Every structure is written in structure tokens, then in C-alpha cells.
Amino acid sequence: MSTGKWFKSGSPWIWMTGGAVSISLIAVLGLLLMIAWRGLSYFWPAEIYQWELNDPNGQPYTLIGEIYDSEEVPTERLIAAGHDFESLTGDTVKRYLVKTGNREFVGLDFRWILATDIISRSKPENIAVIERSKNGDFFGYPIAVIENGQRLPLDDVESSFESHIERAVALNNDAVKLQKSEIGSINYALEKLRLKERGYELDNQLTDKRKLALATQRAELQAEYLLLEKQFFTLREEAGRDSVVIKDMRGMEVTLRLDSILDVTYANRMGLISKVGHWFVGIGRFVSDDPREANTEGGVFPAIFGTVFMVMLMAVIVTPFGVVAAIYLHEYAKKGPVTKMIRIAVINLAGVPSIVYGVFGLGFFVYMFGGTLDQLFYPEALPTPTFGSPGVIWSALTLAILTLPVVIVSTEEGLSRIPSAVRQGSLALGATKAETLWRIVIPMASPAIMTGLILAVARAAGEVAPLMLVGVVKLAPNLPIDMNFPFVHLERKFMHLGFHIYDVGFQSPNVEAARPLVYATSFLLVSVIVSLNLTAIAVRNHLREKYRSLEH
């Protein structure tokens, strides 16, 4: 075949299109693999080194930590920065970024050390990495445990030390569970009593009988609260009973309370199987725990829960409105300039910047609609707002409006693909137009409706800018769902994985410590979006197979 005929056949454009799609897929997969590698490798137990170094004055000192990164630095740049070399080192000098921990004594979690300053480097097996609830990790050699004021040497370091930690962690977990469940329920009930009494005052219905009844209920709750509070402090005291003595890099003995320790790891003793097990445990804790230390440590469970809950609520809101609007425009609205303008407006709404939707949601939903609800139904709580402040319901409504054009357009395309003969046949058999829509048209268009919902979920789950105005916060200790009536609290603020990435990556006081968490949370957000989409795709495929017979 000649070159001219080959071009006229269209084969070059097919190859170009296929090549472009292949390159795009490779780029996307490469990006996901890079994010996954940088994020998931954070949970792999790194080897801990002990260096003997020379300081700028030539004095030897000891440094303990793990290597985070390394790079080659031009020698001229180091000399210009004031570093003196005893001998020529070449054009570049290798330097290491070391995580040292021990924040309260060292000052910096990370420091750069030059290869030329290293006297020796070793990997002692007895170095422990102690994960704490505050002040980050601590590196050192466990020497003894102080139990009930008595110092006990650690002969078998791992088993003895870990057993004491497990005891303290179990007591701490019991205390936290008690605080969140029973004590939290009593605090919630006391607040409800206060609002109820305030409501009686506003309505001039606070009689002596009601005062007595409220006082009796309050006294019963406070008595129960005192008992639970005593139990809570007993658990805390028992958790903090013991301590551990650790020799740090300065050669000094440091005493750490066991109630501040979450875990201990001897990374230099671990084999491959132990490291894999520790890796899975780390990922599980990252997914299930609450964040700590300004979101730079701990887990992201509240952010996962908030993201999924908000997206599902948004889907429940946007689907019926989008489908009804599409059915009206396609099946009932007369063809004319007004309908044409509405379609153009819907298409243009898809291109409006998301932050504009956030401003609209803040002004209309939060201040106007929510403020009106507070005045009508929650006057006893004012001036503290109930629905008149950002919350998960307003975030879901804002994103529902943002994604509404996607659902409308997708549903209309599905309706337009249904042959008119199907409608006419249904009407000819005596069905009304409403029955035809409900039993024939909508089921046949359901795969297109699910396609619109998939696109809406994918966009809503990744939006951050509007949520910063209408409900998302840095830290939300209370989830939108708990055991207190009415169990689902749509007025509460929530955490979101997208905002968590922004907060950790750009608002963190410790950039180096936060960087791996940015990758890990990004990979988790992508995984959540993919999971939601796969679920919707499975439902769409099921509907497509179920109603395939209607197309014939």
C-alpha cells in the first residue's frame, strides 16, 4: 500500500489515538505507583544507625536515627556556607538526612550530616524505636522498667518491655472508650437538659414543677458522671503507674511514662517476615487510628469516615434531583428558547469554579437557610448556632449542586438513546406517560444515571476548596454518627481526606515528617474514590444486564 492510500485509510490516526491512550494510561499508572511507593514505604520499619561524628569544632559526638534521604552536594557550596574540610573531598560530598527523634531533648526531628564528618557507623540490635502519643518517636537503649517505684533491670528487653507497654495501652484504651461512650453520653444529656430548660424560659413555661424535674434529672446524671469520672482517673493512674528508663544518644538516662508510649520496635533485630507483619500492622493503624501531633502522626480514620459519609449523602441528594430535572427537560419541556437557555445554563454550570459554589453554600445554605432553621427550631441554643454554622449537610448540598450538571447531562444522554418506538408501544398498550417513564424509560436509562453518579462521586470526593467554607475542619473529634440520639448529626463539622492532604502538606510545622503522610493519604484518597466508583460500576453493570431485554 502506498503512503497516500495508507493515510487515506485512516490507519495513522488509529495508531496515533491508540498510542496517545497507551501513553496516558502508562502515565497514570506510573503516577499511582509512585504515590503508592512513597506512601506505603513509610510504614516499613527502617534500620536504625548509631553514628560517631565530629562537630564543626572537631569534637566527637554520638547520633542515633534512621536515614530518610541522601544527596550529593557540591563542595563549593558547602565551603561557601562556612564548612571547613581538612582535606580535599572531590567535587561533591554526600550527605544524609537523618531522623533523630527525641524531640524534647534534641530540638530538631531531622538533621543533615556529611559523610566527611562520619567517624563510624553501626547498627546495634538493642536500639529501640519508641512510638509516643506526644513529642514523636524516641530512639535509645531500654535499660530498666520502674514498676510501683521499684527499678527492675530489663534482662529480656523485648518480652518484658512489651508486656508493660501492652498493659498501659490496654488501660489507656479502656479510659478513652469510657470517655467517648458513657462520659460523652452524659455530657450530651446534660447539654440537652440545659437547652430544654432554656427553651422553657423563652416560652415562659418554666414552672416550679419543671424546675424540680430538671434538677432531679441533672443531679442523677451528675452523680453518675462523678462515678464514671472516678473510674476514668483510676484507669489513667494505673496506665501511668510504670515508667521505662532509656539511655539516649547523649549517654544520659531518660525516664518515660508508659502511658505516653504506644509501641516499641527493635527494627535492627527484625527479619523479613517480621518486617512484613509490622508493615501490615502500621497500615492498619494508619487506617483505623485518630490523628495526633497536628495531623503529622497517627491515623486518618475520621477523615476516611467523613469523606465516605459526605459523598454518600451527596449522592443521595443529587441523584433524584438530577434525574427529575433531566426527565422534565427531555420528556415534558417544550422545545423552545427557554428550554435551550436552561440547557446552556446547565452546561455552563459545570464550568463554574468550585470555590464559587463554596461561597454560595456558605451564604445561602449556612447563613440564610441554616440561620433560619436555628431561629425557628433551635432558639434555645442561640447565639450558639446549630445548623447556622458549617456542617456535613451543607457540604453535601453544596457538592450536590456542583455535580448536578453532570448527572443531568448523563441522564439526558441515556434518555435520548431510548428508541421512541418503546415509548409509543407502551402508550399504545394503555399505559400512562407516568407509568411508561417509571416502568420502561427510567429502568432502561438507569445505566446512564449510574454513569452520571460515578462521575459525580469521582469529582465530589476530590473537591476541597468549597468544603473549606461549608464544613470541613482540621480536626473533628466527634464523628457525624454516634450512639447519642438522633444518632446521625448532620450539623457537625467533619474531616476530609483531601483537606487532610492540604493541611499536612502545607500547614504542618514539621515538613519532613509530614511528607510521607502526604503520599500515604493521597494514595488512600485515590483508593477510596476507586472503591466508590467500582461499587457504582458494579451496580451499573447489574442494571444493564437486568434491563437488557427491554432494549429488544
Side-chain angles (χ1 to χ4, degrees), residues 499-533:
F499 182 77
H500 188 81
I501 294 170
Y502 163 77
D503 178 70
V504 173
F506 298 97
Q507 304 295 319
S508 173
N510 196 334
V511 178
E512 296 294 343
R515 186 182 301 165
L517 289 179
V518 173
Y519 288 104
T521 310
S522 300
F523 181 72
L524 185 59
L525 176 59
V526 173
S527 301
V528 169
I529 295 174
V530 169
S531 300
L532 292 172
N533 286 348

Side-chain angles (χ1 to χ4, degrees), residues 81-307:
H83 194 91
D84 294 329
F85 294 99
E86 295 181 358
S87 60
L88 296 177
T89 58
D91 295 334
T92 61
V93 177
K94 191 171 186 178
R95 67 174 183 175
Y96 302 94
L97 180 62
V98 178
K99 179 182 178 181
T100 59
N102 305 21
R103 187 178 301 166
E104 64 269 44
F105 301 109
V106 178
L108 296 174
D109 282 347
F110 296 85
R111 67 172 65 182
W112 288 99
I113 62 172
L114 297 176
T116 55
D117 294 335
I118 298 175
I119 301 174
S120 63
R121 185 178 76 174
S122 59
K123 293 190 300 182
E125 291 187 351
N126 292 335
I127 292 183
V129 180
I130 299 173
E131 183 181 356
R132 300 182 292 176
S133 57
K134 295 181 180 180
N135 294 324
D137 293 340
F138 195 95
F139 299 137
Y141 299 90
I143 298 175
V145 168
I146 300 177
E147 182 178 339
N148 283 325
Q150 183 179 2
R151 179 165 172 150
L152 305 175
L154 291 179
D155 297 327
D156 186 355
V157 178
E158 284 195 54
S159 60
S160 179
F161 189 17
E162 290 180 356
S163 62
H164 283 80
I165 291 177
E166 289 174 0
R167 172 186 176 277
V169 169
L171 291 170
N172 268 332
N173 290 338
D174 291 341
V176 171
K177 184 178 180 181
L178 180 66
Q179 185 180 29
K180 288 185 175 181
S181 58
E182 298 180 45
I183 294 178
S185 297
I186 291 178
N187 287 330
Y188 187 80
L190 287 171
E191 178 63 16
K192 286 296 182 183
L193 283 179
R194 185 189 71 81
L195 294 177
K196 189 175 182 181
E197 183 177 13
R198 175 62 177 164
Y200 286 147
E201 289 179 355
L202 294 176
D203 297 335
N204 294 321
Q205 296 179 359
L206 188 59
T207 61
D208 292 338
K209 183 177 180 180
R210 284 177 171 169
K211 283 184 178 179
L212 180 61
L214 290 171
T216 302
Q217 295 179 37
R218 187 178 290 110
E220 293 175 354
L221 289 172
Q222 288 176 344
E224 186 177 357
Y225 177 85
L226 291 175
L227 292 176
L228 293 173
E229 185 183 43
K230 183 178 180 181
Q231 184 179 352
F232 172 79
F233 283 120
T234 300
L235 290 172
R236 286 292 194 188
E237 185 178 355
E238 282 296 313
R241 184 196 68 181
D242 303 333
S243 303
V244 62
V245 180
I246 301 176
K247 184 178 179 181
D248 66 0
M249 67 183 69
R250 303 169 300 166
M252 301 179 64
E253 294 186 0
V254 178
T255 302
L256 301 178
R257 288 167 55 97
L258 288 184
D259 59 350
S260 67
I261 297 176
L262 301 176
D263 194 14
V264 59
T265 304
Y266 293 87
N268 294 345
R269 294 183 179 182
M270 286 184 172
L272 179 60
I273 297 178
S274 300
K275 288 186 176 182
V276 171
H278 187 276
W279 182 72
F280 278 109
V281 171
I283 294 176
R285 292 173 60 184
F286 177 70
V287 173
S288 60
D289 287 355
D290 293 341
R292 310 187 307 268
E293 297 289 307
N295 291 342
T296 60
E297 294 181 10
V300 291
F301 175 75
I304 298 174
F305 186 90
T307 303

Side-chain angles (χ1 to χ4, degrees), residues 7-79:
F7 274 97
K8 289 180 180 180
S9 66
S11 297
W13 318 120
I14 296 175
W15 282 102
M16 288 178 61
T17 304
V21 172
S22 301
I23 293 173
S24 299
L25 288 176
I26 293 173
V28 171
L29 291 176
L31 177 62
L32 292 178
L33 289 175
M34 187 272 291
I35 294 174
W37 172 259
R38 296 293 296 271
L40 298 179
S41 61
Y42 169 73
F43 304 103
W44 188 263
E47 296 178 331
I48 309 301
Y49 295 95
Q50 176 172 313
W51 288 273
E52 300 298 331
L53 304 165
N54 283 323
D55 63 13
N57 297 323
Q59 299 297 322
Y61 69 98
T62 302
L63 182 68
I64 296 177
E66 63 177 272
I67 297 177
Y68 246 55
D69 197 4
S70 63
E71 64 180 13
E72 296 285 343
V73 184
T75 306
E76 294 181 356
R77 195 171 83 183
L78 294 173
I79 295 176

Side-chain angles (χ1 to χ4, degrees), residues 342-406:
I342 292 175
R343 294 181 190 278
I344 294 173
V346 168
I347 295 173
N348 287 337
L349 281 175
V352 175
S354 60
I355 191 65
V356 176
Y357 287 99
V359 173
F360 170 79
L362 181 65
F364 180 75
F365 290 131
V366 178
Y367 292 150
M368 184 177 173
F369 195 64
T372 303
L373 287 178
D374 285 348
Q375 293 176 2
L376 292 177
F377 301 104
Y378 305 96
E380 66 276 4
L382 294 175
T384 302
T386 303
F387 281 94
S389 66
V392 63
I393 181 62
W394 308 134
S395 299
L397 283 170
T398 301
L399 291 187
I401 293 178
L402 186 149
T403 56
L404 186 61
V406 177

